[in-house]
Amino acid sequence: MRIEANSLEKYLEQVPDEQKQAMNRLRQTILDNLPIGFKEEMSYGMIGYVVPHSIYPAGYHCEPKLPLPFINIASQKNFMALYHMGIYAEKEMLDWFTAEYQKHSKLKLDMGKSCIRFKKPNDIPFELIAELASKITTEKWIEIYESYIKPRK
């Protein structure tokens, strides 16, 4: 299931009822804890938190017209997902998150490179997500991005 929406409001309207409360809480948790400078917008068909062109004019190297992505959240058919590029780019961040996750959840971490999957809305560790969202400033994310992700010229 992929939600087709061109606005945050339309996206949230289409989230399945069983995920709606958790998606709204996840969104608010990120908004409440994200450092200044990130902007919420639709990004890659999901709710995204990006470094806008006003802060980082070069944009995303794969598509410079797009702002630099940082976090996305999505409603999928069988799970909710949180994509965090800092976990993908920084081994220290990944190590911290995986260690902390065990303190916040009895469940095994279901994770890809940057995708954290939550099969049950009640199993989302909101306090941990709040801390994760607050850990990297826009300036630090740009530094990490340019050091590790952006292709060298």
Side-chain angles (χ1 to χ4, degrees):
M1 172 194 87
R2 180 178 167 107
I3 294 176
E4 298 293 331
N6 57 8
S7 74
L8 297 166
E9 295 75 21
K10 295 273 189 226
Y11 188 95
L12 291 167
E13 285 173 9
Q14 295 180 57
V15 170
D17 288 341
E18 62 273 9
Q19 294 179 355
K20 207 172 281 274
Q21 183 179 5
M23 179 61 76
N24 284 321
R25 184 173 174 198
L26 182 59
R27 177 181 178 227
Q28 196 60 54
T29 297
I30 293 170
L31 285 169
D32 289 347
N33 292 281
L34 205 59
I36 294 171
F38 290 104
K39 179 182 174 196
E40 182 184 53
E41 63 179 42
M42 290 301 297
S43 175
Y44 294 97
M46 301 174 271
I47 297 174
Y49 303 90
V50 302
V51 179
H53 283 104
S54 60
I55 293 174
Y56 190 68
Y60 186 44
H61 72 277
C62 293
E63 181 58 61
K65 289 184 252 177
L66 296 176
L68 181 60
F70 180 54
I71 297 175
N72 286 78
I73 56 175
S75 170
Q76 304 293 344
K77 183 177 181 180
N78 296 314
F79 60 91
M80 292 173 55
L82 182 142
Y83 301 84
H84 191 286
M85 296 305 293
I87 287 175
Y88 175 78
E90 285 276 286
K91 182 172 179 350
E92 297 82 18
M93 181 69 72
L94 174 62
D95 292 346
W96 169 83
F97 183 78
T98 55
E100 287 297 311
Y101 186 85
Q102 302 311 313
K103 299 173 188 174
H104 293 266
S105 178
K106 296 175 186 161
L107 301 175
K108 181 180 178 204
L109 179 59
D110 184 0
M111 185 174 170
K113 287 187 177 184
S114 71
C115 176
I116 306 159
R117 292 175 286 274
F118 303 104
K119 290 191 172 92
K120 295 181 181 175
N122 292 335
D123 294 333
I124 299 172
F126 291 103
E127 289 178 17
L128 179 59
I129 300 305
E131 192 172 349
L132 177 64
S134 71
K135 281 192 141 329
I136 299 177
T137 64
T138 54
E139 295 82 9
K140 181 65 176 172
W141 176 232
I142 291 167
E143 179 185 315
I144 292 167
Y145 171 74
E146 289 184 341
S147 297
Y148 297 107
I149 297 175
K150 190 175 179 184
R152 303 209 189 271
K153 295 185 180 192

